[in-house]
Amino acid sequence: MPCFTPSSSVSGAGGPIVVFDVNDDGLLDIVVGDGPGTLGLSVCLGDGSGVVDSACFVESIADVPSRLVSGDLNDDGRVDLAFVSGNGVFAALGDGDGNFAAQQLRAPPPPMGIPPRAFVLARLNAARPPVVLVENGDRFDRNVSTVEAYACESGGVTFSSTTLLSVGSADTWNTLGVADADGDGDDDVFEKEDSVVFLRTSSPEGLSGRTVVGFFSFPDPISTDVLAFDRDDDGIAELVDPESCGEGVAGTFVLGDVDGDGSTDAVIAGDCLLTRGFAFHLADLGGRGFANAGIGDLDADGRADLVVTGPDLAVLRAGGD
């Protein structure tokens, strides 16, 4: 059975989190979208032991991200960031030394507009860099809800935008998720409209028409992300009930091998851990519920550790039998 042990914390850091090697030293670091008293990204360097230095440095972007994702957006071998804030949608290309240059991809929504309900990174074609998928909804036109794909060419520094698909309306269409649902190595797109989940598979020609793949009673239809991942190691992602740990436990999630068995596990905001064949409450394992989370093997023991906020940042080192 997995368990978690708190190892360090940073007071006042309460925003979205990603975990990756910021400065190319072979050690995983933590980037927080809202550090203590900052308008920028707090970068907390790891030392390989699972302990985070509370003296995080700030990469100023003069903004406070509400959603944050990481990945190599232009296939140059360096990890980049994309984020959403009240000022719009941005990409921040990294230089491999811990510096990020932010550029606006989309202007902020109009007054009374709604921020993106969906914001994910997807590699829809393995031969090309991943794209940033952003939902656009507008309270002034309730029949408008589209997903824009922002892409950068390999080795490039500028992004182009295309309308990937139109779904439902701004009132009924909620969010989406991405995972490889057909085993071809490319991400496919799951859409959630109220309690119905649809799937569109990807190909070099684009996305297919959508088919119904699930019906769930989501406790919060606005913020609950679509969870699909390869839980049984067959190479194909399965749609997972967001209430697998019980009623009211659902939300955003992170994926990683928490118990060190070589299989992917899911940790869901609230208080839920899904491993292969089992569901646990984090509180029963020494963990805690959270608002945001990142995941990565910070102490190099073969188990993915959690970095959570709610309200402060804390590292929960994974262990167990």
Side-chain angles (χ1 to χ4, degrees):
M1 178 181 295
C3 65
F4 295 94
T5 303
S7 67
S8 59
S9 63
V10 178
S11 178
I17 306 165
V18 288
V19 177
F20 62 95
D21 184 0
V22 169
N23 54 358
D24 202 25
D25 64 353
L27 303 174
L28 291 181
D29 311 302
I30 300 168
V31 177
V32 187
D34 180 18
T38 70
L39 286 178
L41 303 171
S42 287
V43 182
C44 307
L45 298 180
D47 63 2
S49 70
V51 176
V52 177
D53 187 349
S54 60
C56 308
F57 70 88
V58 176
E59 177 66 23
S60 177
I61 55 174
D63 216 336
V64 180
S66 60
R67 300 288 295 269
L68 179 66
V69 295
S70 63
D72 189 353
L73 298 179
N74 58 355
D75 277 353
D76 66 351
R78 303 183 181 97
V79 179
D80 311 303
L81 300 170
F83 61 90
V84 175
S85 76
N87 293 317
V89 177
F90 294 81
L93 298 180
D95 64 1
D97 292 323
N99 304 304
F100 297 92
Q103 57 180 291
Q104 187 182 62
L105 302 182
R106 197 195 80 178
M112 294 181 65
I114 55 178
R117 296 178 179 178
F119 182 71
V120 296
L121 196 63
R123 190 176 285 270
L124 302 176
N125 185 336
R128 300 180 62 82
V131 295
V132 181
L133 303 183
V134 184
E135 183 266 347
N136 291 304
D138 189 342
R139 291 190 190 277
F140 291 119
D141 185 350
R142 298 192 176 196
N143 293 317
V144 174
S145 184
T146 63
V147 174
E148 303 296 319
Y150 296 90
C152 187
E153 294 296 327
S154 296
V157 295
T158 59
F159 288 76
S160 60
S161 170
T162 58
T163 298
L164 189 67
L165 51 91
S166 298
V167 284
S169 71
D171 274 353
T172 61
W173 187 83
N174 305 135
T175 187
L176 56 79
V178 295
D180 183 4
D182 54 11
D184 67 351
D186 296 333
D187 283 332
D188 305 300
V189 177
F190 293 85
E191 305 168 17
K192 179 167 70 69
E193 187 173 330
D194 290 335
S195 61
V196 184
V197 180
F198 302 88
L199 172 66
R200 295 179 189 265
T201 58
S202 62
S203 71
E205 291 74 37
L207 293 179
S208 69
R210 66 183 192 174
T211 57
V212 176
V213 292
F215 297 88
F216 292 137
S217 178
F218 292 86
D220 182 352
I222 300 302
S223 63
T224 301
D225 289 343
V226 178
L227 171 56
F229 70 105
D230 184 10
R231 194 176 178 185
D232 57 7
D233 296 329
D234 64 354
I236 297 175
E238 296 85 28
L239 187 65
V240 179
D241 187 336
E243 293 188 316
S244 295
C245 281
E247 183 177 356
V249 181
T252 57
F253 60 90
V254 289
L255 301 175
D257 183 7
V258 171
D259 52 11
D261 66 353
S263 300
T264 301
D265 309 310
V267 183
I268 306 174
D271 183 30
C272 185
L273 167 65
L274 301 179
T275 64
R276 183 171 181 173
F278 297 95
F280 303 95
H281 288 285
L282 291 176
D284 296 333
L285 306 174
R288 74 180 205 194
F290 56 88
N292 298 285
I295 193 167
D297 188 3
L298 294 167
D299 54 6
D301 68 347
R303 300 181 178 93
D305 308 301
L306 292 178
V307 185
V308 301
T309 59
D312 299 329
L313 181 147
V315 175
L316 306 176
R317 295 173 59 184
D321 298 332

